[in-house]
Amino acid sequence: MERKNIDESFMRAALEQAEKAFAEDEVPVGAVVVENGEIIGRGRNHRESGRDVAGHAEISALRAAAETRGDWRLPGCTIYVTLEPCAMCAGAIIEARVERAVFGAKDENKGAAGSVLNLLDYPGAGSGIPVTGGVLEEECCRLLKEFFRRDG
């Protein structure tokens, strides 16, 4: 299967997580971690319900993947997230040794994977982590816009 189709397929899985967050009245961001074509970690925003400043989708997905793998190091894995990672999440992606990052919607305010800054290309990340942005961007943006329009 072509990489674009693979990326879209896993981004749809991340969107499922974002839709669950939406239904839970959380900012609708979802993420999945993939290894060898299989999802090993899923996560969605839970900052409000968990009263957790670090309750971002990426952090949840990385934790779940580490649990599945039995190791916090995740080389060979790709993370798919519906919204461009912030600095905290980009740092966690680097620390987890994730091989590649894919996101849907750009975050023009706090994006740390190319929009505002690019921590994933930081020399401290080794040779840098390849980033693909804009995967199913319209669907990812639509869900976020609907949430914020609803909540005013």
Side-chain angles (χ1 to χ4, degrees), residues 83 93-94 139:
L83 179 65
I93 290 166
I94 291 166
E139 291 94 326

Side-chain angles (χ1 to χ4, degrees), residues 61-139:
L62 291 168
R63 286 178 174 156
E67 182 69 26
T68 298
R69 205 177 213 204
D71 191 351
W72 59 268
R73 295 169 194 86
L74 301 171
C77 293
T78 299
I79 188 165
Y80 292 84
V81 60
T82 58
L83 179 65
E84 181 179 0
C86 68
M88 175 182 69
C89 293
I93 290 166
I94 291 166
E95 290 299 320
R97 280 72 159 171
V98 170
E99 186 172 296
R100 181 171 172 252
V102 180
F103 69 85
K106 290 181 181 177
D107 184 341
E108 300 290 347
N109 296 315
K110 299 179 190 170
S115 290
V116 177
L117 50 116
N118 191 350
L119 290 179
L120 298 179
D121 196 32
Y122 176 72
S127 60
I129 297 171
V131 175
T132 302
V135 176
L136 300 181
E137 185 172 18
E138 284 184 34
E139 291 94 326

Side-chain angles (χ1 to χ4, degrees), residues 4-54:
K4 179 183 181 221
N5 293 337
I6 293 169
D7 285 351
E8 288 180 357
S9 174
F10 288 120
M11 188 60 72
R12 288 189 197 293
L15 273 164
E16 288 176 15
Q17 294 299 308
E19 289 166 358
K20 288 179 181 181
F22 186 101
E24 295 164 356
D25 207 29
E26 298 279 354
V27 175
V29 179
V32 296
V33 176
V34 175
E35 179 181 36
N36 297 323
E38 299 211 13
I39 296 172
I40 63 167
R42 290 178 169 80
R44 61 185 175 271
N45 273 2
H46 63 275
R47 287 174 61 174
E48 301 301 326
S49 63
R51 295 174 184 79
D52 181 3
V53 70

